[in-house]
Amino acid sequence: QVQLAESGGGSVQSGGSLRLSCRGSGYTYRNYCWGWFRQAPGKEREGVAAIDSDGTINYADAVKGRFTISQDNAKNTVTLQMNSLKPEDTAMYYCAAGPFLMIRVGVPESTAFGYWGQGTQVTVSS
């Protein structure tokens, strides 16, 4: 059974940094994609960043140049380094995984991912 567990959320002032991590277990697919999504109150879930097993990376325009996604295959972990945080980055952040490789530019739709973590809250104050 695939399980994803996020960690690293918290509260920070505008301009600060946070590092989110997601550890996966029970995942045996050869080709896979990790994704980070976020959902603010009253808003739809949106893709933030994604990385696949070929090393392809995509970011949402809103976070390009500020967020960095990376993976550690040996530890089955994906990390989202978030710098220059803004109040509009405040949301619940979710880790996701799916057995596919990205073939288009952009973060894949959430429906492409079959596995999800419970989420971790990120709050950025002005």
Side-chain angles (χ1 to χ4, degrees), residues 27-56:
Y27 207 80
T28 60
Y29 297 104
R30 179 176 181 178
N31 296 321
Y32 55 87
C33 183
W34 295 94
W36 282 100
F37 289 77
R38 66 187 182 186
Q39 187 167 17
K43 294 187 177 181
E44 293 187 354
R45 187 170 296 189
E46 62 174 351
V48 174
I51 184 170
D52 68 21
S53 49
D54 274 357
T56 301

Side-chain angles (χ1 to χ4, degrees), residues 59-81:
Y59 294 101
D61 289 342
V63 306
K64 282 181 180 177
R66 299 189 297 122
F67 291 11
T68 302
I69 189 172
S70 60
Q71 61 182 333
D72 184 333
N73 294 329
K75 297 181 179 179
N76 289 331
T77 299
V78 62
T79 299
L80 186 68
Q81 177 66 43

